[in-house]
Amino acid sequence: MPKKIKKKALKNAKVKKAKASKSKKTSSKFKWVYNFEDTPRLNTQSLKNLLGGKGANLSEMIRIKLPVPPGFTITTEACNEYYNLNKKYPAALVKQVKDSIKKVEKKIKKSFGNASNPLLVSVRSGARVSMPGMMDTVLNLGLNDKTVIGLAKKTNNEAFAYDSYRRFIQMYSNVVLGVNHHNFEDLIENYKLTKGVLLDTELTAEDWKSLIGSFREQIIKETGKDFPQDVHQQLWGAIGAVFQSWKNHRANVYRKLNNIPEEWGTAVNVQSMVFGNMGQDCATGVAFTRNPSTGENSFYGEYLINAQGEDVVAGIRTPQNITKKARLEAGSKELSMQESMPKAFNELVTIYKKLEKHYRDMQDIEFTVENKKLWMLQTRSGKRTAKASIKIAVDMVKEKLINKDEAVLRIDPKILDTLLHPTLDPNATKNIVAKGLPASPGAATGKVTFTADDAEQLKAQGQKSILVRLETSPEDIHGMHAAEGILTCRGGMTSHAAVVARGMGRPCVSGAGTIQIDYESKLFKVGSHEVKEGDIVTLDGSTGEVMLGEVNTIKPDISGDFSTLMAWADKVRSLKIRTNAETPLDTKVARDFGAEGIGLCRTEHMFFDDERILYVRQMILSKNVEDRNEALKKILPFQKKDFIEIFKTMSGLPVTVRLLDPPLHEFLPKSEKEISGVASSLNITEREIKNRINDLHEENPMLGHRGCRLAISYPEIYEMQCEAIFEALMECQKAKVKAIIPEIMIPLICTAKELEILRALVDRVAKIVEKKYSIKLSYLVGTMIELPRAALNAFEISKQADFFSFGTNDLTQTTLGISRDDSGKFLDDYVNNNIFKIDPFISIDVDGVGQLVKIACENGKKNNSKIKLGICGEHGGDPDSIDFCHNAGLHYVSCSPYRVPIARLAAAQAKIRSKR
Ligand code: ADP
Ligand code: MG
Ligand code: MG
């Protein structure tokens, strides 16, 4: 660390300490602003925390000697302090900004507010992670009626100077003064109509001057004030707007959706301008170092000649390809950057390769060419589809950029979900009506809707929608989230719609130019078709096709890179992954996805089958043991058959069978019609049935006569189930199925005594079966831990148990005293008020439920060092909970079949993290 910087860092550390004892960072020495070239040498994450992602990466690019226009970053700490001070700037900030501007002025030999040689800057927001809800960038700040003349003279390009000024007025008025941009767009459109021109680029300096006059009148009308001419006032207005955008509605929504804490704050970047709008040898563009849809290792991007800022992503003009290869593939006649600006293109290629090597990840970059000279304006790790993220991780291991552990850590387990679900059947008949760009892969079907709010409303009604827009903007985020897929008429592969959809894993077709939307009549026209709001359409985000109606889908392919990555994950993880399944179909899906056994086979699901429910009801309605045994005898062969099938599909692996758990009344007939049907087939009166239903009614069934309590009252039920399990085991042995060891699980144990009694029951039945066939049976007996008392008494209970399986659904209900079925009404409020960080039924409540799990594990192991420990609640498929399970020393997690790959990856990540 250079001495000077070290001193500064030390000073800040001291000030921070002082702050803890006194209060605010009031010291004038505290550093709120860093010029790009002298940011502190912190590790990447700490630097991002301090300067935001954009600021940290700008300074990093300067450090590795890339061409970046000079500028400075106001820290995230300054933003937080601004809020601490009730939206006032800390005193030292104003002076430090001034000093930093001076440094920039010196570097590029222009000065801020100077009428003959003005420095212009951009003001850009930049939080730790990129956030579409934040303030839009303001470009060309520092222009006013005087400096614009200087700029025109200096560049000898009046059209450019006034184009820049009008852009500045538009942007600043929109994002800082709150004047809706439609005001300006309408004025421009009308002007062009009167003049008879099509493109903005056809307007002259005189045209812009006249339009600027109209803009100013409009601003006075809307705000009561003229457009600010003082450049410092302009700057502080923009800085304040960035700070305030941290807590605007859009940002709040995005933060909530993505679990971004409010305490992070945003940084502000002030950077000297470079101009892509100075003529034909100027351009602006965005690019990905690899294809963000497929992951293919080829440079991919779009650019626009004689344009500025976000023209490329805004969808106003259709951008051109960067590489010749992409242009030819797209069949476009507009020259690629490779062809029109070969020198800048080659430089860009060298730079992107350097950036990939440096960051060891695919980058999303933004650049501008000013009079043939290339300038880098941003780099960050690029958003990508699930498929691309796996391909890129696997390729980078092959390219020796990263190692296997890093590759495994790179993939967010949750995204695997999108790969495991169906895609369009290539052989299905499709009624294709339009083709756009394949902006985000996957198939989606739903009702056409034209506004984000409508999409959200449909979702609330449980309906699927396709959001159709000319183009999307950050205001549409909630609708994009609610929709199954997104279709836009304008914009390229790097448009807002495309980038956000890929990030969310939503299929998206962008830039489908043949579609004409009529928002007012709520329909779109394409060719001879008219598609109305509510009509069903299908999108294929992998091909860009738009189809009428619903189209058949097929199973996903999980070989190739996916299986390579999963094999790496399997090699490192120590947690075993089982599945919760009871049907042969689910069992097979889970095994194909890599399940290593069944962690929860719920036997009650087997009772509901049409054929058997009658006997189950007969069993429940029986008034004495003899009648009940009679009914149970009829159920036995069904159960036995089920187990044989499951044992066969899971041959060679462990299968945990949970004995009957729910309260008996769940099986009874409910409607009058059902009741009379049951009455006649069982030959008893309806009255008898109704009486029995009344007898069995419970005020609080979750805490009622269920689980092992049923077997304490009616042991013959569990006896029948055990007999079915052991008989099935016998049959499998006879059929030479590779051995499985059933793990018989007794639910809702509260005391050691209950388990002692029921374990004896299991052993008794086993003896009978063993004697009958004169063989020896291998099996385990254990319990679910789903009551706090059981967790606390694990030491005693483990004397009777070969295994514990944490039933964290009920354990969460009973520990928190919150019913899962009723919590929907208020849990949101708890999350919003920060009482819970996340819904405890989704991710394990580490401080409460987690404590009980740990206590039970420790005490269980004290008594029985070989005790098997697992989890079978919904949490078994949640990556954060899996991390907890790994660290708590569990041996396996069990989850639903489609979550098995997610759990395999999450378990590997937990292990890698714990090694570090
Ligand atoms: P976002 O976070 O939405 O990407 P940025 O702050 O990156 O916003 O700004 C958007 C665009 O504005 C950039 O991609 C770039 O084209 C343009 N821009 C920002 N700063 C400058 C600058 N100093 N000179 C030229 N163009 C700039
Ligand atoms: Mg933006
Ligand atoms: Mg950007």
Side-chain angles (χ1 to χ4, degrees):
M1 198 185 272
K3 251 192 197 154
K4 212 168 109 199
I5 293 169
K6 198 168 177 184
K7 247 193 201 158
K8 256 181 218 160
L10 277 175
K11 211 175 259 171
N12 276 359
K14 272 188 203 148
V15 176
K16 261 188 199 156
K17 255 192 205 153
K19 185 202 162 202
S21 53
K22 279 180 200 156
S23 73
K24 297 277 178 269
K25 299 165 177 171
T26 42
S27 163
S28 61
K29 307 257 167 51
F30 198 87
K31 199 144 168 61
W32 304 108
V33 184
Y34 291 92
N35 281 71
F36 295 160
E37 66 278 7
D38 50 38
T39 51
R41 281 295 199 99
L42 300 168
N43 67 39
T44 316
Q45 194 53 54
S46 317
L47 198 66
K48 275 190 183 165
N49 298 352
L50 181 68
L51 303 177
K54 200 179 286 164
N57 287 337
L58 283 169
S59 86
E60 189 88 354
M61 283 200 286
I62 288 197
R63 216 169 57 73
I64 59 170
K65 306 212 157 38
L66 299 187
V68 175
F72 55 87
T73 306
I74 301 173
T75 66
T76 54
E77 291 176 346
C79 174
N80 290 332
E81 188 69 354
Y82 170 80
Y83 282 106
N84 284 341
L85 298 175
N86 254 328
K87 301 197 184 170
K88 286 206 187 64
Y89 302 115
L93 176 64
V94 178
K95 171 152 190 322
Q96 291 179 20
V97 166
K98 240 187 208 154
D99 293 345
S100 284
I101 291 181
K102 278 208 188 96
K103 285 188 197 157
V104 175
E105 289 176 333
K106 222 169 140 191
K107 267 207 152 66
I108 64 163
K109 303 190 177 61
K110 291 179 185 172
S111 85
F112 194 50
N114 184 301
S116 55
N117 183 24
L119 163 68
L120 305 190
V121 296
S122 63
V123 177
R124 321 169 64 183
S125 60
R128 274 189 216 185
V129 292
S130 121
M131 265 180 55
M134 296 294 304
M135 190 198 84
D136 291 325
T137 297
V138 174
L139 302 179
N140 312 324
L141 189 142
L143 280 175
N144 57 28
D145 294 347
K146 292 201 179 100
T147 54
V148 71
I149 299 172
L151 182 68
K153 273 199 190 131
K154 180 124 198 295
T155 56
N156 201 13
N157 191 341
E158 210 184 10
F160 150 73
Y162 283 91
D163 176 50
S164 302
Y165 192 21
R166 66 92 189 176
R167 283 173 184 271
F168 170 51
I169 295 177
Q170 277 176 261
M171 276 187 264
Y172 191 92
S173 304
N174 180 227
V175 305
V176 182
L177 306 178
V179 181
N180 196 310
H181 52 86
H182 291 303
N183 283 304
F184 306 113
E185 276 152 26
D186 290 351
L187 287 169
I188 298 177
E189 280 315 305
N190 283 336
Y191 192 94
K192 285 198 291 196
L193 273 180
T194 342
K195 209 186 159 187
V197 300
L198 275 176
L199 296 174
D200 288 5
T201 41
E202 293 174 74
L203 295 179
T204 64
E206 293 312 312
D207 294 328
W208 288 127
K209 278 185 203 167
S210 150
L211 271 166
I212 285 167
S214 321
F215 286 1
R216 300 261 292 260
E217 276 165 31
Q218 189 66 27
I219 293 165
I220 294 173
K221 227 199 250 160
E222 298 273 329
T223 68
K225 280 185 222 142
D226 195 1
F227 189 78
Q229 291 291 313
D230 175 353
V231 295
H232 293 282
Q233 188 190 336
Q234 292 175 354
L235 180 63
W236 286 102
I239 293 170
V242 174
F243 283 166
Q244 287 186 30
S245 75
W246 178 248
K247 294 195 181 174
N248 72 20
H249 178 66
R250 275 198 266 153
N252 288 342
V253 169
Y254 186 84
R255 258 203 301 282
K256 222 185 114 193
L257 284 172
N258 293 279
N259 288 321
I260 297 172
E262 199 177 85
E263 306 89 75
W264 283 4
T266 179
V268 185
N269 299 289
V270 178
Q271 186 177 30
S272 55
M273 285 297 302
V274 287
F275 301 99
N277 59 332
M278 254 202 243
Q280 294 304 307
D281 61 350
C282 302
T284 180
V286 297
F288 290 90
T289 57
R290 298 183 190 218
N291 187 311
S293 271
T294 63
E296 195 196 335
N297 188 359
S298 69
F299 192 42
Y300 188 87
E302 294 170 327
Y303 85 119
L304 268 178
I305 289 180
N306 198 10
Q308 192 179 40
E310 310 218 81
D311 290 0
V312 176
V313 290
I316 296 165
R317 275 160 68 193
T318 302
Q320 296 155 231
N321 296 103
I322 287 196
T323 62
K324 186 174 171 191
K325 178 171 164 255
R327 172 178 79 81
L328 293 176
E329 274 168 16
S332 157
K333 290 200 181 63
E334 306 276 350
L335 282 192
S336 65
M337 180 177 177
Q338 189 169 13
E339 295 156 296
S340 68
M341 311 182 151
K343 203 176 139 264
F345 172 80
N346 286 336
E347 202 179 335
L348 187 61
V349 169
T350 313
I351 287 177
Y352 97 69
K353 288 190 173 150
K354 192 166 176 182
L355 281 172
E356 258 210 357
K357 269 229 173 80
H358 181 75
Y359 286 101
R360 303 184 312 133
D361 196 7
M362 186 262 263
Q363 296 293 297
D364 167 356
I365 57 184
E366 299 176 10
F367 63 90
T368 281
V369 179
E370 177 183 298
N371 303 135
K372 298 203 176 76
K373 162 120 186 73
L374 178 71
W375 292 95
M376 297 304 297
L377 293 170
Q378 189 170 338
T379 188
R380 63 181 164 204
S381 129
K383 287 212 160 75
R384 61 204 80 178
T385 62
K387 192 176 159 208
S389 70
I390 289 177
K391 174 156 177 56
I392 290 171
V394 171
D395 282 353
M396 285 192 166
V397 171
K398 287 184 199 150
E399 294 161 28
K400 300 210 161 55
L401 271 178
I402 59 175
N403 63 32
K404 289 177 185 168
D405 281 0
E406 284 173 300
V408 166
L409 283 179
R410 288 258 170 110
I411 312 297
D412 175 358
K414 288 180 192 135
I415 64 160
L416 296 185
D417 218 19
T418 58
L419 293 177
L420 305 175
H421 287 285
T423 49
L424 284 189
D425 177 357
N427 299 319
T429 6
K430 302 181 204 165
N431 184 2
I432 301 170
V433 291
K435 201 162 174 203
L437 297 168
S440 177
T445 298
K447 290 185 170 171
V448 167
T449 170
F450 293 100
T451 71
D453 288 344
D454 288 347
E456 201 170 47
Q457 216 161 31
L458 281 176
K459 166 114 186 179
Q461 297 162 8
Q463 302 206 48
K464 296 179 172 178
S465 71
I466 301 289
L467 180 62
V468 185
R469 305 280 303 161
L470 272 175
E471 61 209 293
T472 62
S473 73
E475 281 110 46
D476 297 322
I477 298 269
H478 61 292
M480 298 172 77
H481 221 270
E484 297 296 308
I486 298 137
L487 170 62
T488 68
C489 312
R490 295 192 205 146
M493 291 290 284
T494 51
S495 64
H496 179 267
V499 172
V500 174
R502 280 198 293 273
M504 287 177 177
R506 290 285 174 288
C508 172
V509 174
S510 71
T514 55
I515 289 181
Q516 286 177 307
I517 302 185
D518 181 346
Y519 282 135
E520 223 150 82
S521 321
K522 301 199 166 183
L523 55 85
F524 70 75
K525 285 187 183 154
V526 57
S528 56
H529 301 278
E530 196 175 274
V531 180
K532 292 194 207 64
E533 180 184 60
D535 290 353
I536 303 279
V537 295
T538 297
L539 303 181
D540 186 343
S542 316
T543 60
E545 288 163 349
V546 182
M547 292 144 278
L548 295 186
E550 193 171 341
V551 180
N552 270 347
T553 52
I554 51 162
K555 269 192 100 184
D557 175 21
I558 51 168
S559 57
D561 291 331
F562 182 91
S563 72
T564 305
L565 187 96
M566 293 310 285
W568 295 340
D570 289 344
K571 213 158 173 198
V572 285
R573 73 182 155 89
S574 41
L575 271 177
K576 294 264 179 207
I577 311 300
R578 298 196 193 179
T579 190
N580 300 348
E582 38 276 330
T583 68
L585 181 71
D586 280 357
T587 315
K588 175 146 188 344
V589 169
R591 198 162 186 178
D592 288 346
F593 279 152
E596 297 162 298
I598 289 183
L600 176 62
C601 170
R602 305 173 174 92
T603 47
E604 56 272 16
H605 287 206
M606 301 167 169
F607 282 19
F608 280 105
D609 197 279
D610 272 353
E611 264 185 292
R612 20 188 132 157
I613 185 74
L614 193 67
Y615 303 127
V616 175
R617 286 171 175 161
Q618 192 178 355
M619 180 263 289
I620 296 168
L621 295 165
S622 309
K623 281 188 228 106
N624 53 51
V625 192
E626 288 75 38
D627 288 357
R628 195 156 32 245
N629 275 330
E630 206 50 43
L632 284 167
K633 245 187 221 147
K634 292 185 195 134
I635 304 170
L636 176 76
F638 290 110
Q639 284 253 284
K640 181 174 162 185
K641 194 168 133 264
D642 293 328
F643 290 135
I644 291 173
E645 264 185 282
I646 289 174
F647 292 172
K648 277 185 179 163
T649 25
M650 278 289 154
S651 66
L653 298 174
V655 174
T656 306
V657 180
R658 179 178 71 185
L659 302 183
L660 194 67
D661 183 48
L664 294 180
H665 58 79
E666 280 192 14
F667 301 101
L668 288 175
K670 304 225 160 51
S671 67
E672 286 292 331
K673 200 172 146 222
E674 275 183 311
I675 291 174
S676 79
V678 172
S680 68
S681 56
L682 292 183
N683 206 12
I684 46 179
T685 64
E686 287 183 30
R687 164 155 308 232
E688 267 180 291
I689 295 184
K690 285 184 182 162
N691 283 343
R692 189 72 180 128
I693 293 174
N694 279 339
D695 284 348
L696 286 170
H697 171 79
E698 289 179 315
E699 288 303 333
N700 215 335
M702 186 189 89
L703 304 176
H705 199 186
R706 53 168 286 218
C708 67
R709 295 164 197 170
L710 287 173
I712 297 293
S713 309
Y714 314 114
E716 51 280 6
I717 299 178
Y718 277 16
E719 282 167 2
M720 178 280 288
Q721 292 197 292
C722 290
E723 193 179 341
I725 294 169
F726 293 136
E727 289 270 347
L729 203 58
M730 270 299 311
E731 296 293 335
C732 288
Q733 279 186 13
K734 264 198 242 159
K736 300 238 159 18
V737 172
K738 210 164 155 204
I740 74 120
I741 297 186
E743 301 181 357
I744 296 170
M745 181 153 79
I746 318 284
L748 215 72
I749 287 292
C750 182
T751 65
K753 187 71 187 171
E754 288 166 319
L755 191 56
E756 187 189 327
I757 293 172
L758 295 172
R759 173 165 202 134
L761 177 153
V762 179
D763 291 341
R764 201 164 60 234
V765 177
K767 286 255 155 55
I768 294 171
V769 178
E770 282 179 337
K771 205 161 160 203
K772 186 165 157 199
Y773 298 97
S774 40
I775 41 119
K776 188 101 191 79
L777 292 167
S778 303
Y779 62 92
L780 303 179
V781 181
T783 174
M784 284 180 99
I785 301 284
E786 47 191 335
L787 295 173
R789 191 186 193 283
L792 296 171
N793 282 268
F795 183 81
E796 279 305 312
I797 292 175
S798 67
K799 289 180 184 163
Q800 308 294 332
D802 302 316
F803 65 88
F804 285 165
S805 173
F806 293 94
T808 50
N809 295 345
D810 271 339
L811 189 58
T812 300
Q813 300 202 85
T814 52
T815 301
L816 276 63
I818 293 178
S819 143
R820 182 156 63 139
D821 304 316
D822 302 311
S823 63
K825 292 192 194 111
F826 59 87
L827 259 189
D828 251 6
D829 300 335
Y830 268 61
V831 174
N832 288 341
N833 280 297
N834 256 326
I835 300 169
F836 294 144
K837 281 234 153 54
I838 184 166
D839 179 341
F841 292 104
I842 292 176
S843 199
I844 201 162
D845 159 40
V846 173
D847 297 336
V849 177
Q851 291 306 310
L852 286 171
V853 171
K854 280 188 189 158
I855 291 172
C857 287
E858 264 164 42
N859 291 341
K861 275 194 275 196
K862 254 185 223 156
N863 187 50
N864 174 357
S865 63
K866 288 209 201 76
I867 194 160
K868 258 199 203 184
L869 302 167
I871 176 178
C872 63
E874 291 297 312
H875 300 100
D878 168 66
D880 291 333
S881 311
I882 292 171
D883 191 78
F884 168 82
C885 292
H886 174 87
N887 291 314
L890 298 197
H891 300 114
Y892 70 86
V893 299
S894 187
C895 57
S896 60
Y898 272 94
R899 300 201 73 87
V900 167
I902 297 174
R904 284 161 68 195
L905 184 58
Q909 294 182 343
K911 173 74 175 285
I912 296 169
R913 276 195 293 265
S914 69
K915 280 194 303 194
R916 291 190 160 189

